[in-house]
Amino acid sequence: MSATCRDVTFAGLPATELQLPCGDRLVVAHHGAHVLSWVARGRERLYLSPRSAMDGQAAIRGGIPVCFPQFNQRGKLPKHGFARNLPWAVHAPKLDGEQAHLALSLHDSVATRRWWGQAFEARLLIELTPGALQIELVVRNTDT
């Protein structure tokens, strides 16, 4: 048996679910590349606020958010940046026996330039292995 990946709906939001043969699983929303759930050894490891508006507009409360290009609130940028309020592209997963890898990406666009005039590429790299979750945010300046 090998790791699996499938598109799901989580509280009304489009999401991707990774599952390992041991039963560990992860759910990440396409909205904000927000990790919503991580079950390891049969136990949920993340808190997700029941008061969170899962409407695809507002930021999700709890889980593992992506805060970019800033944390907190300064200037015209939304609190904790705009990346958590936008849809991210989901790339084909790499499934290899007892592990699963998934990448999501966000690029500058008309929507991002409303707040921040810089060109960029952001990638969220997720690795799920038995009992472990590793997440890396890689941001590349594609501007001058």
Side-chain angles (χ1 to χ4, degrees):
M1 192 169 184
S2 185
T4 61
C5 178
R6 66 186 182 118
D7 289 331
V8 296
T9 301
F10 187 101
L13 292 177
T16 296
E17 178 186 76
L18 300 175
Q19 184 154 1
L20 302 180
C22 67
D24 288 10
R25 74 177 173 81
L26 174 126
V27 178
V28 59
H30 301 170
H31 175 75
H34 199 117
V35 177
L36 302 170
S37 173
W38 171 40
V39 174
R41 297 184 178 106
R43 229 176 101 215
E44 177 61 58
R45 304 297 174 157
L46 302 177
Y47 172 79
L48 195 60
S49 174
R51 295 178 40 208
S52 190
M54 302 292 232
D55 60 5
Q57 303 298 314
I60 299 165
R61 300 175 75 174
I64 304 173
V66 174
C67 296
F68 175 79
Q70 71 177 14
F71 185 77
N72 208 332
Q73 188 168 13
R74 295 195 168 123
K76 295 184 232 174
L77 288 173
K79 187 174 184 180
H80 305 316
F82 52 75
R84 67 190 208 139
N85 295 319
L86 295 172
W88 287 54
V90 180
H91 301 274
K94 180 181 172 196
L95 307 172
D96 186 22
E98 288 288 323
Q99 58 183 345
H101 299 260
L102 185 66
L104 294 94
S105 65
L106 179 69
H107 297 265
D108 59 286
S109 65
V110 171
T112 66
R113 285 188 215 106
R114 280 189 355 199
W115 297 294
W116 201 51
Q118 308 303 309
F120 69 92
E121 175 190 29
R123 292 180 67 83
L124 189 71
L125 308 172
I126 299 170
E127 178 184 71
L128 181 64
T129 57
L133 173 63
Q134 185 169 0
I135 300 173
E136 180 180 8
L137 177 63
V138 178
V139 178
R140 187 168 65 95
N141 178 358
T142 59
D143 213 322
T144 56

